[in-house]
Structure formats: C-alpha cells, structure tokens
Amino acid sequence: MPLMTGEAYIESIRRMKMNVYMFGKKVACPVEDPILRPSLNSVRMTYDLAQLPEYQDLMTAISPYTGKRVNRFTHIHQSTEDLVKKVKMQRLLGQKTAACFQRCVGMDAFNAVFSTTFETDRKHGTGYHEAFKRFMCYVQENDLTVDGAMTDPKGDRSKAPHAQSDPDLFLRVVERRADGVVVRGAKVHQTGVLNSHEVIVMPTIAMGPEDKDYAISFAVPMDTPGITMIIGRQSCDTRKLEHTEMDVGNAEFGGVEALTVFHDVFVPNDRIFLNGETEFAGMLVERFAGYHRQSYGGCKVGVGDVLIGAAALAADYNGAAKASHIKDKLIEMTHLNETLYACGIACSAEGHPTESGNYIIDLLLANVCKQNVTRFPYEIVRLAEDIAGGLMVTAPSEADFRDETLGPIIDKYLKGVAAVSTENRLRILRLIENLALGTAAVGYRTESLHGAGSPQAQRVMIARQGNLEHKKSLAKALAHIKD
Ligand code: SF4
Ligand code: FE
C-alpha cells in the first residue's frame, strides 16, 4: 500500500469502533465531533504533507525493512541525518497546525522498543525483536498512526508498582495464557490516543524483581475490547460548540488527551515486546523519554514560530511595530525559540547507533533540550501577551461582533491602524489567546512543562549524564592537584 492520503486516514479512523466518553456521554462518532475533530485534523497533516513533493525528504524515508517509502512517523532512524530530519519535520508540522499533531509518540515508542527488544533478546533469548519488527512492518506497510502509552496513574509516588494499595495503579499482567496475556490498568494524559490505529504500551518507571507483572510492553489496535478512553477537557473547549470561528482562535487544529483504561485486555504473544524482564523497563523508559525530549525541540519551536508571528502581527495592527521595546521583545522571543531548536538539532547531530543499529539521540543534550522547553515557552507566551495587550482577553464575542447593532460599535472602537480591519485584529488576538490560555495552551504550555516527563525527570537524567567526575578531573589537571 502506498502512503495513505489524509482523507483515507480520516476514513480509516472513522471505521474503528472505539469506546470514547466525553462530558458524561459516549461519543458515537468522534471523527465528526466538533470538539474532537480539530485534533484529528492535526494528525491528518502528517499524511497530507507527506503527499507533497516539496516535503517528501522531510516527511518520508525509505524503510530498510520494507524497501519502500514510508511516512517518517513510522520510520526507524538509520543515521544522525534521520534524527535531524525528524526535528525539522516536527517544526514544520508545528508551524502548519500550531497544535500537537500527536503522531510523534508512536515514532518515539517505535525507536525505543526497537533497540530495547534487541538487547532484551540478547540477554534472555526471547523473541521480542522479531515480533516487534513484524508489527513495525505492518504499521509501515499500512501507514498507521500509533500511540505510545507510557504514563501510569502511579498512585502513591513513594511506593513501587507492586506495593500500591490498589495493584492496578500501574498497568499489569493479570492473567498468563498459552496464547498471550491479559492486562489491566490505565495510562493517563494519552496524547493522540483517540486518533491512533494502534497503541504501544510501555512501562513508566525502572522496576525491581518484585514488579515482574508490571514490566510489560505490547501493541494492540485501539478498538480492542476492554479499552476505554475518557477525553480530557481543555480550557475553552466548548467554544468549539458555539459555531464561532473567531472566538476559537485556531478553528481547524488542536490536540487531544485521554485517560485510557485497559480493563482485562487480551494481548496475543506476537504483540508482546517485554514481559517480566524487569531490568529492561528502565532502558525502555529512558530511551522513549529521550526521543520525546528531542521531539519537543521541533514541535514546540514550530508552534513558537506561529506565536511570534502572531505577536508581530498584533504589534503591526496596533501601530506599535516600530517601537524599540516591541522589536526587542520579538528578538527575545526568537532567541528563546531558536535556542530550543538548537538543542533539538544538537542532540540529533550528536546521536549514535544502538546495538540494534538504529540511531538514538545524545541523551544529555535531549534532556537539556526538554529542560529548556519547561521554561522558554512560558517566557515566549508572556512576551506575546505583553505585545498583544489586554484586548486578547477582554474582546467581545464573535456573536456580538456579528450583531447588527453591536457590531458597528465594536468595529469602530476596537480598531487599531486604519489599514487593518477590526476583524483581522481580533482574529490574531484570539489566536494568541488560544495558544496562551485556550485549548492550545495544553500543548504549548502545560505539556511543555510535564509532557515527556516533568522538569525534575530531566534533572535526574542531567545529573546522571553530566559526568561530574570528568569535569573534576579537568579542574584538577589545571590546578596541578595530584591525589
Ligand atoms: Fe509530537 Fe510535540 Fe505532540 Fe509530543 S507534544 S506528540 S512531540 S507534537
Ligand atoms: Fe507530548
């Protein structure tokens, strides 16, 4: 099968019988739901752009496993060049959607599971790597979207999975059969799970021998019996029900997260990639998190590009573009945004092959990248709000703007420079509001903080990878200290 078109992707998701709930009701057709549809449109862009010749080099790659051209979101990185192109692709998609396009988690899970299964097999004589490769080829051949599910609810953070008062607070095997396993548990904050054909489940922390039932990784289709999604609500989400384009800010695109419950889900043997080899849980977590921390040096930068552009337009429309402090704020926003990108590119360029042959990022630099992402978008948003002015949160609704009597009043008093319509001024302010405080703030702000691991998780990795002893030896050598 050639690469799937965006339209074919939408239809393929429509055909899936997923179990989805939102606002206390089962969602009969998520594809047509006005709150959910923008998130599907974002994933669709990963298919649409792959069809365009000008983006072929970034959006696709030749798979050494199928010999065919595949979407880069299903690709196993073969070089540092692949890692760099991945980040550039994510920046491009961030620019086109100003939202989370969700398909990266599967790509990052793919590459982490690929190398971890190889090393697990070598130690334990298991057959996970070949099983994973068969699954990977199926995904590549059919151009599927895969969710990567890592984050367990975790209950009492001071206790290991097996020590929780409720044993289901980490996803676990509850039954072992000759033909597979039955699992129970949940994964929280699942980005894009609703718009995925398949999900790869992975453990969420390093584990000890007593956590054997929790050291489980596998893939199942998203409409497998026993899987339920409860959609997370976003700030301003119900504006999408109001038939207003202006007030939504970014009417076409969005992201989605869901609490995803696995209640006694059967997983056949050929879809299992880790099953009780507890010492490899930590490796899988570290690698997946590393890849996803690299990802943020692309996607958030692309969204940042849109926000900087929107702030600059707001300044133009206010007649403030020539003010030196405005220019300086735009420079500062650009500096911060490009610093994030520099880290994304650097951890990619400094990547290296794993024992399985695929390429992994430099983990220290990927964690530095994500640590910066926990801070800089907040400052970029602050500066955007500064430039935009208070009107971004006090402007009347589109309904008032369209009203026969109120409309002309709003048009008159909320006008900026004469050459720009009041409507365009309000549209750009609503886009900024969407990124700063609305539905997209999930992706641009809080996800920047907690997605791919909260700030402290990166600091732990920076401490581990920072090689302080080497730095001490450098200082001792120059100070002529001999121990
Ligand atoms: Fe991709 Fe960024 Fe969304 Fe993660 S947060 S899935 S890297 S767009
Ligand atoms: Fe994320």
Side-chain angles (χ1 to χ4, degrees):
M1 184 181 153
L3 294 170
M4 192 150 38
T5 63
E7 198 48 47
Y9 160 69
I10 302 278
E11 292 315 307
S12 69
I13 293 292
R14 190 194 301 277
R15 284 193 296 275
M16 295 188 74
K17 297 278 168 267
M18 297 192 205
N19 198 22
V20 184
Y21 290 84
M22 186 170 59
F23 297 126
K25 291 195 200 89
K26 186 165 168 131
V27 185
C29 183
V31 167
E32 295 305 335
D33 186 276
I35 288 185
L36 301 174
R37 180 57 186 245
S39 71
L40 190 70
N41 293 342
S42 300
V43 185
R44 182 194 170 139
M45 281 302 266
T46 71
Y47 290 91
D48 283 341
L49 295 186
Q51 300 280 334
L52 302 176
E54 64 264 43
Y55 298 129
Q56 188 189 66
D57 185 49
L58 278 192
M59 296 297 305
T60 70
I62 303 294
S63 165
Y65 310 101
T66 66
K68 294 180 200 142
R69 188 168 291 284
V70 297
N71 192 297
R72 189 173 293 284
F73 281 97
T74 70
H75 186 50
I76 299 291
H77 313 304
Q78 301 296 311
S79 60
T80 53
E81 200 190 342
D82 268 349
L83 290 169
V84 169
K85 282 183 183 171
K86 172 196 158 181
V87 172
K88 292 186 175 180
M89 168 179 78
Q90 290 167 312
R91 183 171 189 171
L92 173 71
L93 275 153
Q95 292 171 341
K96 297 286 187 189
T97 61
C100 167
F101 36 90
Q102 307 148 54
R103 207 175 169 186
C104 327
V105 275
M107 167 174 54
D108 293 339
F110 251 48
N111 279 276
V113 173
F114 185 89
S115 61
T116 305
T117 51
F118 183 89
E119 291 178 45
T120 312
D121 285 357
R122 224 189 30 189
K123 175 156 183 221
H124 290 279
T126 38
Y128 300 138
H129 191 62
E130 285 310 311
F132 178 71
K133 275 187 7 194
R134 281 193 296 275
F135 170 67
M136 176 200 74
C137 288
Y138 164 72
V139 168
Q140 289 187 341
E141 294 273 6
N142 292 282
D143 200 7
L144 302 179
T145 289
V146 181
D147 178 49
M150 179 161 277
T151 310
D152 289 278
K154 297 197 287 281
D156 181 341
R157 269 62 172 172
S158 71
K159 293 195 164 86
H162 71 275
Q164 296 286 330
S165 53
D166 180 343
D168 299 337
L169 290 176
F170 287 77
L171 190 139
R172 65 185 176 127
V173 175
V174 290
E175 190 188 339
R176 296 181 187 279
R177 296 194 205 160
D179 55 347
V181 296
V182 176
V183 298
R184 188 186 302 157
K187 295 289 182 180
V188 290
H189 335 296
Q190 283 312 294
T191 293
V193 65
L194 171 73
N195 301 321
S196 299
H197 303 97
E198 297 269 345
V199 56
I200 295 180
V201 169
M202 296 162 284
T204 199
I205 49 169
M207 290 177 182
E210 286 172 296
D211 294 322
K212 213 168 169 23
D213 288 339
Y214 296 89
I216 179 79
S217 176
F218 59 87
V220 285
M222 273 314 300
D223 53 2
T224 302
I227 299 181
T228 302
M229 285 167 268
I230 307 168
I231 301 295
R233 79 168 308 177
Q234 300 170 336
S235 170
C236 308
D237 47 9
T238 48
R239 284 194 195 180
K240 291 175 188 165
L241 301 174
E242 293 172 8
H243 307 289
T244 161
E245 193 187 283
M246 276 169 72
D247 291 358
V248 173
N250 181 356
E252 201 176 342
F253 299 107
V256 69
E257 272 78 26
L259 166 61
T260 308
V261 180
F262 295 75
H263 188 75
D264 296 355
V265 172
F266 175 69
V267 184
N269 283 329
D270 65 343
R271 286 295 194 90
I272 296 176
F273 313 132
L274 184 79
N275 187 7
E277 297 79 8
T278 46
E279 74 275 30
F280 286 95
M283 179 188 288
L284 191 48
V285 174
E286 193 173 289
R287 290 184 181 178
F288 171 76
Y291 281 123
H292 210 54
R293 289 168 194 173
Q294 167 209 26
S295 289
Y296 279 33
C299 77
K300 303 301 179 220
V301 180
V303 179
D305 287 329
V306 176
L307 185 54
I308 294 167
L313 282 170
D316 289 347
Y317 296 176
N318 282 347
K322 292 209 170 76
S324 63
H325 74 98
I326 297 288
K327 284 188 201 160
D328 194 57
K329 280 163 190 157
L330 290 168
I331 291 167
E332 178 66 9
M333 292 165 85
T334 306
H335 163 73
L336 292 168
N337 204 41
E338 297 300 334
T339 303
L340 298 179
Y341 186 55
C343 284
I345 294 296
C347 72
S348 307
E350 288 288 290
H352 59 88
T354 65
E355 289 175 23
S356 68
N358 76 337
Y359 271 66
I360 191 163
I361 60 285
D362 181 282
L363 279 175
L364 175 59
L365 293 178
N367 278 279
V368 169
C369 175
K370 174 65 212 317
Q371 183 80 180
N372 285 338
V373 172
T374 66
R375 301 171 182 175
F376 296 178
Y378 284 84
E379 182 61 10
I380 294 171
V381 160
R382 192 184 72 79
L383 291 166
E385 289 192 30
D386 184 345
I387 293 171
L391 190 59
M392 74 173 246
V393 291
T394 63
S397 68
E398 180 172 5
D400 290 324
F401 186 67
R402 302 287 175 219
D403 182 83
E404 236 175 74
T405 315
L406 302 173
I409 300 171
I410 294 167
D411 193 48
K412 173 182 165 74
Y413 286 110
L414 296 188
K415 201 164 175 67
V417 295
V420 175
S421 69
T422 304
E423 174 166 342
N424 285 351
R425 185 171 180 231
L426 293 177
R427 278 180 182 275
I428 216 66
L429 294 177
R430 288 294 184 204
L431 178 62
I432 296 172
E433 182 200 27
N434 175 254
L435 284 159
L437 305 161
T439 53
V442 175
Y444 192 60
R445 290 174 50 129
T446 314
E447 192 181 43
S448 286
L449 196 68
H450 292 297
S454 305
Q456 188 57 23
Q458 289 107 59
R459 300 186 81 79
V460 168
M461 283 299 290
I462 290 168
R464 210 182 289 162
Q465 304 274 330
N467 205 348
L468 213 50
E469 289 311 313
H470 172 62
K471 292 177 173 67
K472 282 186 199 169
S473 71
L474 295 174
K476 278 184 182 174
L478 288 171
H480 295 169
I481 294 171
K482 292 193 179 64
D483 289 327

